[in-house]
Amino acid sequence: KAGVTQTPRYLIKTRGQQVTLSCSPISGHRSVSWYQQTPGQGLQFLFEYFSETQRNKGNFPGRFSGRQFSNSRSEMNVSTLELGDSALYLCASSLTSGGAPTQYFGPGTRLTVL
Amino acid sequence: AQTVTQSQPEMSVQEAETVTLSCTYDTSESDYYLFWYKQPPSRQMILVIRQEAYKQQNATENRFSVNFQKAAKSFSLKISDSQLGDAAMYFCAYSWTSGSRLTFGEGTQLTVNP
């Protein structure tokens, strides 16, 4: 079974631009979570989607948004990029949402904001 | 709010020896899950082991085992017969039972010396 895939793997943007990252979960998985990883703040939870609904949201500004499609694929969008948004963005999928299911991570998208 | 603390930023071990990574957490919940993930240089986050808080028996996965002390809110990872491929950043993580949001510790960089 194919693992979690994320596209693109690397991205360079300039301040003020917006960006969209994509995540395809493992086949059959209905929950997708997004995390931001930076050297200063570590790994931080962004949001979780299950059956096209946002179930949980971390403490990030409204510039960070996401959505999930009927095939469980998910996208996250960051508008008006800031230098501090440079990070590795990790997506994780799981079968369900409740009960702390095991999450399987993708390889990440490395975003650099210049 | 739940917090996870890893007090050892770096650890090293000789190949074939045993090493223990420490993790403490803070939560007011009685039902939760704890995880250890490893992140090698490829940045792919890989699940190492999982522990359900309601289980008194410590989880084991081949050379990996945990020492779960619920009262002390401690969750350490023991790696036996260390191998070069074990070199990675190790993250301790917490999840509440009703969701799949992971709260991560700061990480411990493990070096395995030949």
Side-chain angles (χ1 to χ4, degrees), chain A residues 4 9 31 33 35 37 43-45 48 55-59 88 90 94 96-108 110, chain B residues 32-35 37 39 41-47 50 52 89 91-92 94-107:
Chain A
V4 178
R9 293 293 310 279
S31 172
S33 297
Y35 296 85
Q37 185 175 23
L43 280 151
Q44 293 186 288
F45 172 81
E48 179 203 0
R55 276 213 68 192
N56 215 338
K57 189 178 191 311
N59 189 26
L88 180 68
L90 293 166
S94 57
T96 60
S97 180
T102 296
Q103 295 189 45
Y104 298 88
F105 284 79
R110 169 75 66 184
Chain B
Y32 50 87
Y33 296 77
L34 296 165
F35 306 83
Y37 279 88
Q39 188 178 43
S42 67
R43 309 298 268 173
Q44 177 92 42
M45 196 77 80
I46 302 164
L47 177 68
R50 166 193 170 110
E52 290 83 353
M89 180 73 88
F91 291 96
C92 177
Y94 165 101
S95 180
W96 189 31
T97 190
S98 74
S100 58
R101 169 180 183 162
L102 290 168
T103 299
F104 287 91
E106 305 90 337

Side-chain angles (χ1 to χ4, degrees), chain B residues 7 10-11 16-17 20 23 40 53 64-65 74 87 113:
Chain B
S7 58
E10 297 177 347
M11 291 281 284
E17 303 268 298
T20 298
C23 172
F64 300 87
S65 61
S74 170
N113 300 308

